[in-house]
């Protein structure tokens, strides 16, 4: 079965506006209660491509809203698939929901009268998440919150304490789950049983019997490591064996290192970064599966390769007498761009033709400091063990200068061709609401609308109009600033943008930047050595 396209998966995940939603003005004019729906699932086991869990949550919320009455509408859906709140992972749609709650309206202009979810821990599991959500929720009065238990009053006295109690209970459940998981792994280690995950390279599906073709390759790789052979040559042992990786891709250096240094090679188990010890002897507990090397041989491998311990992994790699690196702190403003030093790291691709395939390498070039010449750093293709070919290297400042010139030229060209700014995108909503308010006034003056209904609807429409006009004023101010900045692209690029913003601009402008080999003795600035492929929006 062929993989589903991204847009189909997005539809299954049910993000954005539901189909058949009436216009904003009609929602306000009818007195509809506009809800936003949030769905999240931590681990689909199959990655973000599997949207069954979040789709089920949205279906449940849809059914509940239908039972609540026709005056209730879901006006926008937010979905974070395969993302954990307990681990404080960055959740894009959660952040969007918080911003829309603070703004009081969705990006399309629908008011936010409330929030619905299947369970409150879909939204928050940690204290700071609870505090952020409640603060945003309470930024407007009279909102409604619904979960599996029905309506919850988040404005009531004591709601903060109740919420924090629920968070504390949730944290307790998380700790218990982690403890149960550890106990389960310890129980298997105590009995000498292997891991219960998928089949591991070198063993059959039972996890105990050696694979007749794979185990010898794993053994030769361990011997080569102990003998001091290069990792490139060890990777070639796997590649030349003709045996596939678990995912069917090419063999990589990091994958091979993990295989060679795995504790299971010597019959050992590791839990939370520590080798499991026999309770009676105090020595490492040896499992009942067939081993590929001795403990002494494994220790020789560890002396050469000391990878960083990842305590959340099921088969983490050991370090002996090596200080563990602290985990990176969570940054709530979005995923971190790790290429913080070089402008084009990861944006450049190798254009050297690989003789074995007849096609360009296309591996991503990395920025690397150098002491040779005046360049200071170069962009190089990674080695074959990391998926590259090592066939291209280029002066970093020279390529940065060339691409920067192209970017500035394109920005200036677009600024020069830019037509005067069009109307505010929600101008039509403002016009419709003005018309609805006028019609409502006329009906009330003629006695066609009861006083209570008139004042309720007119007050809500006027509040929404006020918010939209404030948003329009902010938009117009931004447009004026943009027009001012567009006249000085050079100053904006050099002094108004940080490295993250520049890299984001480059990523948006170009589909690919290919660096072709120029041969020995040729200057790095050769015109046909850099091939740029513009994004269709910038052609």
């Amino acid at each position: 079965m062929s993989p589903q396209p991204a847009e189909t998966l997005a539809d299954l995940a049910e993000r954005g506006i539901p189909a058949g939603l009436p216009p904003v003005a009609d929602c306000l004019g009818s007195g509809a209660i506009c809800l936003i729906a949030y769905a999240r699932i931590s681990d689909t086991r199959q990655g973000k491509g599997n949207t069954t869990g979040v789709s089920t949550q949205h279906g449940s919320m849809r059914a509940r809203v239908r039972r609540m009455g026709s005056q209730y509408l879901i006006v926008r859906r937010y979905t974070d698939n395969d993302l954990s709140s307990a681990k404080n992972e960055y959740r894009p749609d959660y952040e969007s929901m918080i911003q829309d709650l603070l703004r009081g309206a969705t990006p399309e202009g629908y008011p936010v009268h409330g929030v619905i979810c299947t369970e409150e821990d879909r939204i928050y599991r940690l204290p700071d998440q609870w505090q952020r959500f409640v603060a945003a929720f309470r930024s407007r009065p009279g909102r409604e919150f619904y979960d599996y238990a029905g309506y919850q009053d988040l404005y009531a006295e004591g709601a903060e304490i109740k919420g924090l109690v629920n968070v504390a209970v949730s944290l307790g459940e998380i700790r218990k789950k982690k403890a149960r998981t550890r106990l389960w792994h310890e129980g298997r280690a105590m009995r000498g049983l292997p891991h219960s995950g998928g089949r591991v390279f070198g063993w059959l599906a039972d996890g105990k019997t050696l694979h007749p073709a794979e185990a010898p390759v794993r053994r030769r790789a361990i011997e080569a490591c102990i003998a001091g052979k290069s990792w490139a040559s060890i990777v070639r042992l796997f590649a030349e064996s003709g045996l596939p990786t678990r995912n069917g891709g090419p063999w990589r250096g990091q994958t091979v290192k993990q295989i060679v240094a795995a504790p299971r090679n010597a019959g050992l188990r590791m839990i939370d970064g520590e080798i499991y010890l026999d309770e009676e002897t105090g020595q490492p507990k040896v499992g009942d599966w067939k081993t590929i090397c001795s403990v002494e041989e494994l220790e020789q491998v560890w002396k050469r390769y000391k990878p960083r311990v990842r305590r959340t992994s099921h088969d983490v790699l050991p370090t002996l007498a090596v200080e563990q690196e602290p985990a990176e702190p969570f940054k709530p403003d979005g995923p971190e761009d790790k290429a913080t030093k070089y402008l084009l790291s990861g944006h450049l691709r190798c254009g050297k033709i690989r003789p074995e395939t007849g096609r360009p390498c296309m591996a991503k070039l990395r920025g690397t400091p150098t002491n040779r010449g005046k360049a200071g750093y170069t962009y190089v293709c990674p080695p074959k063990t990391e998926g590259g070919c090592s066939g291209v290297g280029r002066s970093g400042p020279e390529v940065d200068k060339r691409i920067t010139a192209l970017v500035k030229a394109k920005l200036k060209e677009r600024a020069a061709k830019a037509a005067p700014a069009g109307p505010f995108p929600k101008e039509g909503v403002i016009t419709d609401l003005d018309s609805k308010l006028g019609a409502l006034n006329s009906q009330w003056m003629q006695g066609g609308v009861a006083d209570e209904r008139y004042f309720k609807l007119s007050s809500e429409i006027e509040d929404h109009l006020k918010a939209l006009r404030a948003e329009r004023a902010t938009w117009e101010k931004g447009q004026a600033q943009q027009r001012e900045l567009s006249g000085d692209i050079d100053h904006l690029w050099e002094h108004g943008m940080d490295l993250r913003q520049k890299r984001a601009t480059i990523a948006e402008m170009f589909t690919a930047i290919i660096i072709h080999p120029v041969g020995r003795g040729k200057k790095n600035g050769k015109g046909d050595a850099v091939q740029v492929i513009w994004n269709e929006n910038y052609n």
Side-chain angles (χ1 to χ4, degrees), residues 92-275:
D93 271 27
Y94 170 81
E95 296 297 334
S96 298
M97 178 181 66
I98 293 295
Q99 293 303 314
D100 291 347
L101 283 168
L102 291 170
R103 186 169 55 241
T106 69
E108 299 75 28
Y110 290 94
V112 180
H113 297 139
V115 177
I116 184 169
C117 61
T118 55
E119 298 177 89
E120 59 184 10
D121 64 4
R122 297 300 92 198
I123 297 177
Y124 50 81
R125 297 293 293 272
L126 302 177
D128 64 314
Q129 296 168 359
W130 153 256
Q131 291 165 353
R132 288 188 66 208
F133 172 73
V134 171
F137 185 90
R138 290 177 172 177
S139 62
R140 297 287 192 281
R143 283 174 170 164
E144 301 177 14
F145 180 79
Y146 296 91
D147 65 359
Y148 74 96
Y151 171 77
Q152 291 192 43
D153 186 0
L154 299 187
Y155 300 92
E157 183 178 355
E160 296 94 336
I161 297 175
K162 179 183 176 183
L164 290 175
V165 168
N166 290 339
V167 169
V169 171
S170 177
L171 288 174
E173 291 175 351
I174 293 169
R175 285 193 293 268
K176 288 179 181 178
K177 183 178 179 181
K178 289 181 177 179
R180 286 195 299 268
T181 301
R182 179 185 172 89
L183 286 173
W184 185 81
H185 282 295
E186 285 182 346
R188 291 186 64 87
M190 190 183 303
R191 299 192 300 274
L193 300 177
H195 288 285
S196 59
R199 190 181 77 81
V200 177
F201 184 90
W203 283 268
L204 297 179
D206 62 5
K208 297 182 178 182
T209 309
L210 293 178
H211 191 287
E214 296 175 352
V217 177
R218 194 161 181 147
R219 173 65 194 180
R220 289 199 298 271
I222 293 172
E223 292 173 348
C225 178
I226 295 173
K229 301 291 185 181
S230 69
W231 284 111
S233 65
I234 297 174
V235 171
R236 282 198 296 272
L237 287 175
F238 287 85
E240 293 171 357
S241 71
L243 297 169
T245 63
R246 177 184 294 184
N247 298 323
W251 288 99
R252 306 291 192 198
Q254 189 59 34
T255 303
V256 168
K257 289 178 180 179
Q258 291 175 356
I259 288 175
V260 172
R264 69 166 57 240
N265 290 329
L268 306 182
R269 284 286 301 266
M270 180 167 281
I271 299 176
D272 287 344
E274 298 178 355
I275 294 296

Side-chain angles (χ1 to χ4, degrees), residues 3 27 35 84 112-113 116 136 222 241 290 310 320 422 473 492 522:
C27 287
L35 304 177
S84 170
V112 180
H113 297 139
I116 184 169
I222 293 172
S241 71
K290 295 292 184 181
R310 298 186 301 164
L320 300 182
L492 174 64
K522 296 184 180 180

Side-chain angles (χ1 to χ4, degrees), residues 53-88:
V54 288
S55 294
T56 299
Q57 291 179 36
H58 277 297
S60 175
M61 288 185 279
R62 210 162 38 240
R64 173 178 284 274
V65 168
R66 282 198 297 267
R67 294 194 298 269
M68 288 163 59
S70 59
Q71 73 274 28
Y72 287 90
L73 288 174
I74 293 178
V75 296
R76 190 169 181 85
R77 299 163 299 186
Y78 305 80
T79 300
D80 286 312
N81 193 30
D82 198 31
L83 288 171
S84 170
S85 59
K87 296 178 182 177
N88 218 8

Side-chain angles (χ1 to χ4, degrees), residues 229-496:
K229 301 291 185 181
S230 69
W231 284 111
S233 65
I234 297 174
V235 171
R236 282 198 296 272
L237 287 175
F238 287 85
E240 293 171 357
S241 71
L243 297 169
T245 63
R246 177 184 294 184
N247 298 323
W251 288 99
R252 306 291 192 198
Q254 189 59 34
T255 303
V256 168
K257 289 178 180 179
Q258 291 175 356
I259 288 175
V260 172
R264 69 166 57 240
N265 290 329
L268 306 182
R269 284 286 301 266
M270 180 167 281
I271 299 176
D272 287 344
E274 298 178 355
I275 294 296
Y276 183 79
L277 303 179
D278 189 290
E279 292 181 349
E280 296 181 359
T281 66
Q283 298 299 311
K285 174 73 174 181
V286 178
D288 65 353
W289 60 90
K290 295 292 184 181
T291 60
I292 293 180
C293 70
S294 66
V295 174
E296 292 73 21
E297 288 174 318
L298 185 62
E299 288 177 347
Q300 293 183 59
V301 172
W302 291 350
K303 290 178 181 178
R304 180 175 177 188
Y305 177 55
K306 300 176 181 179
R308 178 177 172 181
V309 171
R310 298 186 301 164
R311 292 189 178 273
T312 57
S313 172
H314 288 288
D315 196 340
V316 290
L317 302 176
T319 57
L320 300 182
V322 177
E323 183 177 352
Q324 184 178 342
E325 297 180 33
E328 288 292 330
F330 171 71
K331 296 184 179 181
D333 58 346
E336 180 185 5
D337 182 354
K338 292 182 169 44
T340 56
K341 190 171 184 180
Y342 303 111
L343 180 67
L344 297 173
S345 286
H347 291 313
L348 306 176
R349 291 187 176 271
C350 175
K352 183 177 180 180
I353 302 298
R354 289 194 168 192
E356 65 271 21
T357 63
R359 296 192 298 269
C361 170
M362 296 305 288
K364 293 181 179 179
L365 273 60
R366 304 168 177 170
T368 305
T370 178
N371 295 324
R372 294 186 299 175
K374 299 180 180 180
Y377 61 98
T378 59
Y379 293 115
V380 296
C381 181
K384 292 182 180 180
T385 56
E386 301 298 331
C389 68
S390 300
V392 165
R394 198 60 48 83
S395 164
E398 180 66 31
V399 182
D400 286 356
K401 181 180 178 181
R402 174 173 297 216
I403 298 304
T404 297
L406 291 175
V407 170
K408 289 181 178 179
K410 182 63 69 173
L411 289 174
K412 291 175 181 178
E413 176 187 332
R414 288 169 67 89
K417 291 181 178 179
F424 176 53
K426 297 178 186 177
E427 194 66 46
V429 176
I430 293 177
T431 302
D432 287 347
L433 290 178
D434 271 327
S435 176
K436 289 281 185 183
L437 187 58
L440 184 64
N441 284 329
S442 298
Q443 292 178 27
W444 178 63
M445 293 292 291
Q446 296 169 12
V449 179
D451 291 350
E452 182 180 357
R453 179 172 175 79
Y454 166 74
F455 285 110
K456 180 180 184 299
L457 292 180
S458 63
S459 175
E460 184 167 0
I461 293 175
E462 287 171 352
D463 287 346
H464 203 60
L465 275 171
K466 182 179 179 181
L468 285 173
R469 285 167 178 151
E471 186 178 342
R472 180 174 61 185
T474 302
W475 178 84
E476 289 173 344
K477 181 179 179 180
Q479 290 292 101
Q481 291 175 342
Q482 185 63 35
R483 286 192 295 271
E484 181 180 348
L485 286 174
S486 66
D488 190 2
I489 297 298
D490 292 328
H491 185 274
L492 174 64
W493 183 266
E494 300 299 335
H495 305 288

